[in-house]
Structures are given as C-alpha cells and as structure tokens.
Amino acid sequence: MTGTPPSAPYEPSGDRPVAGGGEQYPSHAGQHQNPEPAPVSGAPEPGPVPGRHQLPGLAGYPQFDGPGAAQYGSEPVEPPLAFTPQPGAPQPPAGYGPGTPQQLPPAGMPPGANPPPPGGLPPGAMPPPAGAPPAELAPKQGYTPPRETLDVGAALTYGWDRFRLNPIPWVGMVLIGMIAWLVVTLLVNMVDVQSLSAVVLLFAVASLVVWLLQAAMIRGALYETDGTPPDFPAFFGFVNAGNVLITALIVFALCLVASIACVFPAIIVGVLCMFALHFVIDQDQNPIAAIQSSVRLVVANALQVTLLALGVLIMTVIGTLLCGLGLLVAGPVTAIATTYAYRSLTNGLVV
C-alpha cells in the first residue's frame, strides 16, 4: 500500500491537497482556535498587545509633569491646597508645615531626638537629648528659682501638726536632754568641785550631749518635712557627727565672745547661726561653709527669721514656766518649725 501519510490530528487545518483530492480535515472555528471578532464600525483599531515579559506603557504608573503634579494613568490628580496662615496665628518654623517635606534627623541620632538648628551645631557641641525643651524655653545658666516667703504662723502650725501625729519619739528625745542636763547640775551642786577646770569639764560634757541631741532633733525634723515620721533610732541617722560637733563648738565660742560685750550681740550671733546645723546635716557642708550659708540665708530674710526667732523664744519661755514640762511640747514644735523655715527658704522639700 502506497500513499501519503495523513497530517497530524492537531495541526491547523486548511486547504491541503491529499491523495485522491479533497480535504482531509475541514476548517472549523472554535475548538483550538481563537476566533477574531468582527470589527465594529467606528471603533478605534486595537493597538499591539504587549507580550508576556513586556512592561506596559506609561498608563497605570505614576507620572510627574512638573513639581507636585502627580498623575496616575491619564487622569491627573489635583495638587494639594496652598497653606495660607490665618492672621494672628503662630507661624510654623522654617522647614516645617504643610507642603514641606519632613525633616529627618541625621544618621546616628536616636529616634525622637530634637533636630539640629538650621545653621548646624557649633564645633564640638553635642545634640540636645530626646525630650529636652527648646533653647528658648531652657533655663538660663546661673538662673536661681525665686525663694518662697516664710509664713511664721504656718511654720509653727506645721510644727504642731507634725508633733501631735508622732509625739512619743519626740518626747523621748526631749526627756533624754533634760535628764542629761539635770545630772550635770546635780553633780556640780552635790560634789564639792574645787577647781574651775573640773566645772568647765562637766559643763562641756553636758553641752556636748545637748548639742548632739539638738542635731538629732534636726535630723528628725528633716524626716518630718520629707513626709516620713521618724522612729527613735532615725533621730541618730546623721553620719557627720564630727562636723556637727565642730560647728556647734564654733557657734558656742562666737556667742561666748559676743556675750562678753553684751547679751544682745550674743543673741544676734545665735540668730545668724540658726541654720548652721541644718546645712551640715542636710547638705553635708563643712562647719565654716555651713555658718556662712546660715548667715547669708538669715540676712536675706531678716524680717521673717527675726519673727520666727521671737516665736521660738516665746514658746520656750512659756514651756519653762510650766515647771519645765512644757518643753516636752515646745521643744519638738520649735525644732520642726525651724526646719520648716529652713526648707522653705532654701526651696527644699516640705510635705
């Protein structure tokens, strides 16, 4: 048998001559062909279809025709409205505001840090930390906040209120001081002391105990102004007992020298050194610096401190007239009131 083999079954059919004439497979549109639709009258001719790996044309991608005129496809997007400041409204700083690109911090600056000024930082200067106030709001160098005015009545009332809330440790401290002074007085009266040096030694020991107790009461009063009622061991929480004793000795010597001239100069020296132990215990100053700080503070607030000293003197006299028992209340109240005055005049903490 001879003849031409038939064509592949999936070849496109057409007018193909075969042996014996005629067509082996007639041409039918549909099964494996994409028929082309008939052109519509008046429609534009279709352009070339992009291939599989061919990027589309300009349509569908944002194009820019001039600054700020973004386009998507063939439809332009309206530009942003121009920023018009209102009369009297605060103006934004240069480099900020609507229509202005965001200024990013330089490389290496942590997020949230303030950007450098427009002119840049001076040589060797560090950028301001994150959250720091602007330069125009930062406190000026050498600025000192204004001192509060001292209300003598408020100081004494504060001393009484804090004492009545925690009376037992305060009464115990006053009793220790009274007992120490009575013991020394009885020894001088009962024992026949022939030499002056022995009397001076006894009173020096008594004064030492009284000074330490005074410093302990100031320590307790500082606890009260901090809002922490002290217990008995807390009164002896100071660690600079040496400076306390030296300061007290210097103040005692100054008062003694001033009393040789008259009693009034001794009172003035005592008032000027009223806060010396406070500066030693609270701020750990040396004796000379503490006395100088006390003098400056008293001179700067002479009227208020003088009224406070008069109030303390009146309460002490009244407590002494009540057979000394009134000192159990007057001593703690005046100690707390004096410490309240010290903290108020130095802008310290008062709770």
Side-chain angles (χ1 to χ4, degrees):
M1 297 178 63
T2 60
T4 304
S7 61
Y10 292 102
E11 281 188 10
S13 60
D15 296 338
R16 189 170 189 177
V18 294
E23 295 177 357
Q24 183 176 4
Y25 295 98
S27 176
H28 296 284
Q31 184 177 6
H32 296 290
Q33 295 182 1
N34 294 326
E36 296 181 359
V40 181
S41 175
E45 295 183 2
V49 180
R52 178 180 180 185
H53 299 288
Q54 182 179 359
L55 293 176
L58 299 180
Y61 286 85
Q63 304 297 324
F64 296 88
D65 186 10
Q71 295 181 2
Y72 294 87
S74 60
E75 298 180 0
V77 180
E78 296 182 0
L81 298 177
F83 174 71
T84 304
Q86 298 295 331
Q91 302 296 328
Y96 294 90
T100 306
Q102 180 71 24
Q103 290 188 357
L104 299 177
M109 181 176 291
N114 296 330
L121 294 173
M126 297 297 293
E136 60 271 11
L137 300 180
K140 299 179 181 180
Q141 186 177 5
Y143 173 76
T144 303
R147 286 197 183 102
E148 299 181 2
T149 57
L150 174 61
D151 188 350
V152 177
L156 296 175
T157 303
Y158 180 87
W160 164 251
D161 291 338
R162 302 302 297 185
F163 167 74
R164 65 184 180 86
L165 294 176
N166 188 34
I168 296 178
W170 284 103
V171 172
M173 292 298 301
V174 178
L175 285 176
I176 292 177
M178 295 176 63
I179 291 173
W181 184 259
L182 288 176
V183 167
V184 173
T185 304
L186 289 176
L187 287 177
V188 172
N189 293 330
M190 294 176 61
V191 178
D192 188 11
V193 180
Q194 301 296 332
S195 62
L196 181 61
S197 59
V199 176
V200 172
L201 179 61
L202 286 175
F203 275 101
V205 172
S207 300
L208 177 64
V209 174
V210 172
W211 292 338
L212 287 177
L213 290 176
Q214 182 181 358
M217 293 180 70
I218 292 175
R219 176 70 270 176
L222 290 171
Y223 274 114
E224 294 285 1
T225 55
D226 289 339
T228 305
D231 53 5
F232 192 78
F235 283 87
F236 301 94
F238 55 90
V239 295
N240 46 2
N243 286 336
V244 168
L245 294 177
I246 295 174
T247 305
L249 182 61
I250 294 175
V251 172
F252 176 77
L254 292 176
C255 292
L256 183 62
V257 172
S259 64
I260 295 176
C262 186
V263 177
F264 186 71
I267 296 177
I268 294 178
V269 172
V271 173
L272 291 175
C273 300
M274 179 185 296
F275 304 112
L277 290 180
H278 293 81
F279 282 102
V280 172
I281 299 172
D282 188 35
Q283 302 186 22
D284 197 19
Q285 294 186 3
N286 60 69
I288 302 300
I291 294 174
Q292 292 175 350
S293 300
S294 178
V295 171
R296 285 194 296 265
L297 188 62
V298 172
V299 171
N301 305 272
L303 179 59
Q304 294 89 344
V305 174
T306 301
L307 294 176
L308 177 65
L310 288 176
V312 171
L313 178 62
I314 292 173
M315 292 189 65
T316 304
V317 171
I318 294 175
T320 306
L321 293 177
L322 297 176
C323 301
L325 297 178
L327 295 176
L328 297 176
V329 177
V333 171
T334 55
I336 299 175
T338 304
T339 305
Y340 172 92
Y342 158 76
R343 281 285 178 89
S344 297
L345 295 176
T346 56
N347 291 325
L349 177 63
V350 176
V351 179

